[in-house]
Amino acid sequence: MIHADAAAAQLCKTRGNEWYKVGRYKEAVEYYTKAIILDSADATYYGNRAAAYFMQGQYHKCLADCQASIKLEPSNIKFFLRKARCHMKVSQFAEAEQDLEAVKKLTQSSDDPSQWAPE
């Protein structure tokens, strides 16, 4: 990926965040999707789009994006927490429990407080 694509992706993420903050989740999804097209290796874009899907009640799309974000950044606790919440919404309690077990393991092994900081 060239540098211009990374900058454009970051701008799309910022726009998506602006839409998300005012509850315009459909527009947020559109901008996060543009960011993913420009830079598919950034887990945050998938994670943010998952959050917007969650707010729209599109739980299966949320789960897919949670999985993509975890694949790219398997130590990010936020992604597992969002995935667990989503599994609970679709009554997949055993899967939610697995996600929470992953969170437990990550919190026991992580000394990095930035895991809890907003993105």
Side-chain angles (χ1 to χ4, degrees):
M1 180 185 61
I2 59 174
H3 183 65
D5 284 350
Q10 201 55 241
L11 180 61
C12 288
K13 175 194 164 202
T14 300
R15 286 278 171 86
N17 290 349
E18 291 168 358
W19 284 118
Y20 186 93
K21 288 176 188 173
V22 297
R24 302 279 300 267
Y25 304 116
K26 181 179 177 185
E27 289 84 355
V29 164
E30 290 173 12
Y31 276 96
Y32 296 139
T33 300
K34 289 177 185 180
I36 291 166
I37 290 167
L38 292 165
D39 182 2
S40 62
D42 191 316
T44 303
Y45 304 152
Y46 290 98
N48 288 6
R49 189 172 70 174
Y53 280 142
F54 185 89
M55 297 304 291
Q56 292 179 300
Q58 295 186 35
Y59 302 122
H60 293 288
K61 289 182 178 182
C62 177
L63 284 170
D65 275 359
C66 285
Q67 196 58 42
S69 60
I70 289 167
K71 183 177 180 183
L72 291 168
E73 198 174 316
S75 63
N76 191 310
I77 292 166
K78 257 194 280 190
F79 298 151
F80 282 99
L81 289 171
R82 183 172 296 127
K83 189 174 169 216
R85 286 181 61 209
C86 199
H87 274 130
M88 288 189 281
K89 285 286 189 181
V90 296
S91 300
Q92 295 176 341
F93 302 112
E95 291 85 347
E97 186 176 7
Q98 290 173 352
D99 296 330
L100 294 173
E101 282 297 320
V103 168
K104 182 179 174 183
K105 288 177 186 174
L106 287 168
T107 56
Q108 290 171 346
S109 66
S110 175
D111 294 329
D112 182 10
S114 70
Q115 285 288 325
W116 301 100
E119 297 178 64

